[in-house]
Each structure stands twice: as structure tokens, then as C-alpha cells.
């Protein structure tokens, strides 16, 4: 007898649930709203950690695959003295960079992550923070 087909990968199953209206809480959640919910959930985890361990001023946050930088913007609201290094292969239109630079030391590198060498990122190692785009 033939073998049954393999189950769909988790990502495909999640996409199907969303198409059927099953998204977050049984309703459709897309784009900006979905990312906002994800960012808030990640911030809740950071806030639950002991004070000063992961969320606060003096930290440099590295956002891999930063896209528009929404996660950094959300963390920036909760950590006023933080610095940010955003890494992605492209800078999308309507990114949060300008707002981040107004309030925080922020630098964006346009790089394919497979070529990333964190030791080579000046804003992370002893040289202090930078505010220019790389």
C-alpha cells in the first residue's frame, strides 16, 4: 500500500489557519498588527527578567534581519538609554531608523547575514556607540 502523504510543515499550517480566519484568537491578523503583537510579547519576556539583566540603558541591542526595525523601536520605548545595531540585506521604505536615531544611538548595516562577522561591528566592541548609517 502507498504511504500517506507527509504532514504539512508548521509554517504552511499556520498560513492555512490564517487564511481560514484562524489567526490570533480566531481572527485574521496581518502585517503591522501581527508584528506589533509579536514585539509586545517579546517585550513582556524581557520585562519579566530580573531588573538590569536584559532591558535597560547601557545595552546595545542587535536586531538580525531587522527589516523596518520595528522590534528595535518597541524595545527603544521600554529602554530609553539603549543603543541599536540593525542588520539586514536591505533597508525597506518607511523604516523606523529616523525615529530611533532621534532617541537612541543607532546604526544600520546593509549586509547579508551569512557574511556577518560581529567582531567587525564597531558599535559593539569598546569603541563606543555610533549614530551614522553603515
Amino acid at each position: 500500500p502507498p504511504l500517506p502523504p507527509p504532514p504539512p510543515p508548521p509554517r504552511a499550517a499556520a498560513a492555512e489557519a490564517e487564511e481560514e480566519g484562524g489567526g490570533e484568537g480566531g481572527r485574521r491578523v496581518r502585517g503591522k498588527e501581527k508584528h506589533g503583537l509579536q514585539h509586545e510579547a517579546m517585550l513582556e519576556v524581557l520585562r519579566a527578567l530580573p531588573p538590569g539583566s536584559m532591558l535597560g540603558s547601557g545595552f546595545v541591542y542587535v536586531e538580525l534581519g531587522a527589516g523596518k526595525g520595528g522590534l528595535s523601536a518597541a524595545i527603544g520605548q521600554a529602554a530609553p538609554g539603549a543603543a541599536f545595531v540593525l542588520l539586514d540585506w536591505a533597508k525597506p521604505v518607511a523604516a523606523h531608523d529616523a525615529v530611533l536615531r532621534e532617541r537612541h544611538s543607532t546604526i544600520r548595516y546593509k549586509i547579508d547575514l551569512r557574511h556577518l562577522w560581529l567582531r567587525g561591528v564597531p558599535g559593539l566592541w569598546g569603541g563606543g556607540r555610533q549614530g551614522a548609517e553603515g
Side-chain angles (χ1 to χ4, degrees):
L3 294 173
R11 187 174 188 100
E16 283 177 22
E18 225 174 89
E19 285 176 1
E20 295 170 6
E24 282 293 317
R27 62 186 175 88
R28 289 194 114 119
V29 179
R30 294 186 184 238
K32 192 174 182 180
E33 182 181 353
K34 177 181 171 183
H35 290 149
L37 291 170
Q38 291 171 343
H39 298 160
E40 189 56 40
M42 287 184 246
L43 276 174
E44 283 184 37
V45 170
L46 292 176
R47 288 182 185 122
L49 296 172
S53 63
M54 286 288 294
L55 187 63
S57 62
F59 285 98
V60 178
Y61 296 92
V62 179
E63 186 174 357
L64 304 175
K68 294 182 179 184
L71 178 59
S72 291
I75 291 173
Q77 290 178 353
F84 297 93
V85 177
L86 288 77
L87 302 164
D88 208 331
W89 63 273
K91 179 183 172 193
V93 176
H96 295 275
D97 294 35
V99 173
L100 279 168
R101 283 197 182 95
E102 281 178 18
R103 301 177 185 162
H104 305 277
S105 177
T106 303
I107 188 165
R108 178 184 284 269
Y109 289 100
K110 297 176 197 170
I111 185 170
D112 189 320
L113 294 179
R114 66 183 162 177
H115 301 299
L116 175 64
W117 183 54
L118 283 175
R119 289 257 181 226
V121 179
L124 294 179
W125 310 104
R129 300 175 181 168
Q130 299 182 15
E133 183 169 343

